[in-house]
Amino acid sequence: MFKLKAFSFLFFFVFHIALGHSFTFNNNAAAAFDKDEITVNVNDTDCAGADSGDSNYACNSDFITPQKLLDLTERAINRFWNRIPTTRLNLVRGSLVSKGNTFRRGQLCNESYASGTCTPNTALKVSSDILISCNCHKNNFGDSNVGILGVTIPNNYDGVAIKGSLILINGRHDGFHNLTDNEKINVIGHEIGHALGLGHSPVEDSLMYYSNIGKRDHLGWDDLDGISYLYPSSQPLNLNCGTVSLKSPNDSDSSESNSGPNNTSFFLLSFFSIVFLGFILRYGRRRFF
Amino acid sequence: MKYITPSKKTHLILLVFLFEFFLIFPLSYGSTEENGAKKPSKAFWSVGNTTMFPGKVQIDKEGTTETFNFNPTFSFGLEYPFRETLLIIPELGLNFSGNGRHAAVSRSTFFISTDPGKRFKYFLLHTGIGLHWTFIDGPGGTETLNNGNSSTAFYLPEFTSISSNLTWTHGIGFPLDFMFDQKNAVLKLDSALYNPFDSLKRAVTYRIALQFSFSVEGLPTFFNGD
């Protein structure tokens, strides 16, 4: 018996090594959205071939359609950010919204990308949730292709609460366009991470690593911990708050579909609780009372 | 018109839940000997390892997901005999999570559960509902990391964040007395299912542990007293 106890103590202490991860934030207040359900919308302005004669705003002739961008966005949120077990966060596919050419032509920051600083351009302020748009301004991505696939900034704050975030996907060069769908999903997923308040991770296998890696189907520990830190779950109190999912029979049941939490769990937990209590009262009565 | 349509996995989980729930209790009641010798209440402690969220997290550039990770786990609990072979097993524990890759941020999980269990000849089954609290904190400050073609100072977490999750716990314990003549040692295999009814957020942890039981003088005998 002593040997077993000694072994278990050894097991516990020897392997209790320095632990942890290294996610970061993109602001010093660890700002985050102040709600659990965040909608991701896409600007309906098509970039393909737009402003082809203008050196400042010229877009790539083959950029994907807004509808395709919205579909990839849905796959990104359901492949990555809606799969974290320890967060209350639930991202929802939004819709195509009419924002005109402002978000296609606008500069994310008042400074050029190369300056290293960013004062948000108030003309592109997002009123609520997350907006994704293709964008072709040379000051966002460089006059020639320097490998920037997307840029993101939470540009609407109320204290330490993010109210709106803007994601601009590079429609100027062919870097994003030439990626496979899976790689595009990874890039969009990475930018959504920034929109939610995360910074970069030094760990290569995290989605928030600064560079796109070839094979990516899941989040890394840094991503999971970062979102759990910013948006911790508080079950059982929020078990079903605001995330009821009503799906039509025609909705697909793919692994990336947004089945989300639904109120079935509430009824089932209630049912089993009642059964359990009934059992205790029925069979425990003779023993207890 | 819209309908609530739980996924196929949700149906499977419900079936397993029903199977476990209604197997343990009725069988236990049916096999109980009303006048059988009562087992005394016991306390126990255990030490082992918990693997967090296997299959859920990528750990390298090739897309490999984790099937085992090392998170030392320590727990303490009680076994109250409810009937001859039926137990109530409150337990609380702590596991120190992480993968040792970086020391800047730490994560640990505290858990409690109160599972009903059924003792069979060579093993013990239990299932119930638990609560897991995940603590994440960091040292604050900044870390300079690559950002596009340059580098930027990003901010590290400074305070402690706590996530709480309701879990469906279940497990099996094998007393080691018939193998190693260890009358008070049990090999435990436990798991906790997070978000069982949410097909995307659903995740599991599993624990392998050695448990040591001991009798405690004055332990409440509410459940085995007449």
Side-chain angles (χ1 to χ4, degrees):
Chain A
M1 189 65 175
F2 174 77
K3 284 180 181 175
L4 266 176
K5 285 184 178 176
F7 169 77
S8 55
F9 272 119
L10 191 68
F11 176 84
F12 184 72
F13 287 109
V14 168
F15 291 98
H16 184 206
I17 51 179
L19 303 169
H21 307 282
S22 48
F23 62 87
T24 62
F25 307 123
N26 55 18
N27 58 84
N28 64 354
F33 281 94
D34 56 357
K35 57 183 184 178
D36 301 347
E37 188 167 291
I38 298 163
T39 304
V40 186
N41 296 305
V42 169
N43 183 11
D44 71 352
T45 305
D46 202 342
C47 277
D51 292 324
S52 58
D54 192 316
S55 61
N56 287 328
Y57 310 119
C59 292
N60 188 288
S61 58
D62 294 323
F63 196 78
I64 59 174
T65 64
Q67 184 61 50
K68 171 84 171 176
L69 187 56
L70 182 62
D71 292 341
L72 294 176
T73 297
E74 182 183 25
R75 293 175 66 184
I77 62 180
N78 288 327
R79 178 182 292 181
F80 299 122
W81 301 116
N82 278 348
R83 288 185 179 270
I84 300 174
T86 49
T87 180
R88 65 175 188 269
L89 184 70
N90 191 40
L91 295 179
V92 177
R93 173 191 165 122
S95 56
L96 297 177
V97 293
S98 296
K99 293 290 182 182
N101 291 327
T102 309
F103 285 84
R104 173 164 62 78
R105 291 177 171 166
Q107 220 173 299
L108 185 73
C109 309
N110 292 332
E111 306 83 5
S112 163
Y113 80 93
S115 70
T117 59
C118 180
T119 309
N121 176 5
T122 52
L124 300 187
K125 190 174 181 178
V126 177
S127 57
S128 68
D129 297 275
I130 296 173
L131 176 69
I132 299 179
S133 177
C134 61
N135 182 281
C136 308
H137 197 294
K138 70 175 184 181
N139 283 350
N140 290 330
F141 306 107
D143 200 7
S144 60
N145 189 358
V146 293
I148 300 173
L149 302 172
V151 289
T152 301
I153 187 171
N155 63 3
N156 184 0
Y157 284 95
D158 180 8
V160 295
I162 300 173
K163 294 295 180 185
S165 286
L166 176 62
I167 297 171
L168 298 180
I169 302 295
N170 186 348
R172 183 178 183 88
H173 308 116
D174 58 8
F176 181 83
H177 172 76
N178 288 341
L179 298 176
T180 64
D181 276 3
N182 268 339
E183 289 169 330
K184 287 188 180 94
I185 289 168
N186 296 344
V187 172
I188 294 168
H190 175 98
E191 297 305 329
I192 289 174
H194 285 314
L196 294 171
L198 290 179
H200 279 163
S201 165
V203 184
E204 214 169 22
D205 51 51
S206 290
L207 180 63
M208 295 314 293
Y209 187 63
Y210 84 103
S211 177
N212 197 18
I213 64 171
K215 180 74 175 165
R216 157 77 56 200
D217 292 317
H218 299 82
L219 293 175
W221 277 114
D222 273 3
D223 312 315
L224 192 139
D225 284 346
I227 288 298
S228 299
Y229 185 95
L230 290 175
Y231 304 91
S233 61
S234 53
Q235 295 175 7
L237 298 177
N238 74 336
L239 196 59
N240 292 281
C241 294
T243 49
V244 174
S245 174
L246 295 173
K247 296 176 64 184
S248 72
N250 295 328
D251 287 348
S252 65
D253 195 23
S254 70
S255 61
E256 289 181 0
S257 69
N258 186 14
S259 58
N262 58 53
N263 55 6
T264 311
S265 57
F266 176 79
F267 293 118
L268 288 170
L269 285 174
S270 304
F271 172 74
F272 285 121
S273 300
I274 291 167
V275 168
F276 179 74
L277 284 173
F279 185 88
I280 294 293
L281 291 172
R282 167 68 181 83
Y283 297 114
R285 196 178 183 86
R286 281 174 292 175
R287 290 280 183 179
F288 297 157
F289 307 106
Chain B
M1 189 172 178
K2 294 188 173 182
Y3 304 88
I4 298 170
T5 56
S7 70
K8 289 174 184 172
K9 282 184 184 174
T10 303
H11 285 298
L12 184 63
I13 287 170
L14 286 174
L15 279 174
V16 174
F17 191 103
L18 283 166
F19 178 78
E20 285 193 11
F21 196 89
F22 289 106
L23 177 73
I24 287 176
F25 285 93
L27 284 186
S28 166
Y29 181 67
S31 64
T32 299
E33 294 177 15
E34 288 290 326
N35 297 318
K38 293 181 180 63
K39 300 257 184 181
S41 297
K42 283 183 176 179
F44 65 83
W45 61 272
S46 80
V47 62
N49 179 70
T50 301
T51 294
M52 304 290 291
F53 312 142
K56 197 87 175 172
V57 181
Q58 182 160 335
I59 55 169
D60 60 26
K61 288 194 296 184
E62 282 67 49
T64 309
T65 54
E66 212 162 28
T67 52
F68 176 86
N69 48 53
F70 198 87
N71 306 300
T73 304
F74 183 80
S75 76
F76 177 81
L78 302 169
E79 288 183 354
Y80 288 113
F82 174 66
R83 285 184 173 277
E84 177 62 16
T85 58
L86 189 61
L87 308 167
I88 297 291
I89 312 169
E91 182 179 14
L92 56 89
L94 182 67
N95 79 56
F96 300 92
S97 304
N99 60 4
R101 193 183 284 137
H102 196 288
V105 180
S106 68
R107 178 161 54 91
S108 54
T109 304
F110 177 78
F111 62 91
I112 62 169
S113 62
T114 307
D115 289 5
K118 159 82 174 164
R119 192 190 299 280
F120 295 90
K121 187 175 181 182
Y122 294 117
F123 60 91
L124 182 149
L125 280 178
H126 63 88
T127 184
I129 291 174
L131 271 170
H132 283 61
W133 288 271
T134 304
F135 295 76
I136 302 172
D137 62 358
T142 61
E143 184 168 5
T144 301
L145 299 168
N146 287 326
N147 187 18
N149 298 315
S150 59
S151 59
T152 301
F154 290 95
Y155 298 90
L156 290 163
E158 188 173 2
F159 304 104
T160 301
S161 173
I162 305 170
S163 287
S164 62
N165 281 84
L166 200 61
T167 59
W168 172 22
T169 58
H170 38 276
I172 187 167
F174 299 97
L176 300 179
D177 53 352
F178 63 94
M179 290 172 66
F180 303 112
D181 197 26
Q182 300 295 338
K183 294 187 185 306
N184 296 314
V186 175
L187 176 65
K188 291 176 63 145
L189 303 171
D190 293 340
S191 69
L193 188 62
Y194 286 60
N195 309 302
F197 306 113
D198 181 339
S199 63
L200 295 181
K201 286 191 169 69
R202 185 182 303 138
V204 70
T205 67
Y206 67 87
R207 173 168 57 130
I208 303 171
L210 279 174
Q211 173 183 307
F212 303 96
S213 303
F214 55 96
S215 296
V216 178
E217 288 292 329
L219 199 66
T221 55
F222 179 72
F223 286 106
N224 62 347
D226 276 321

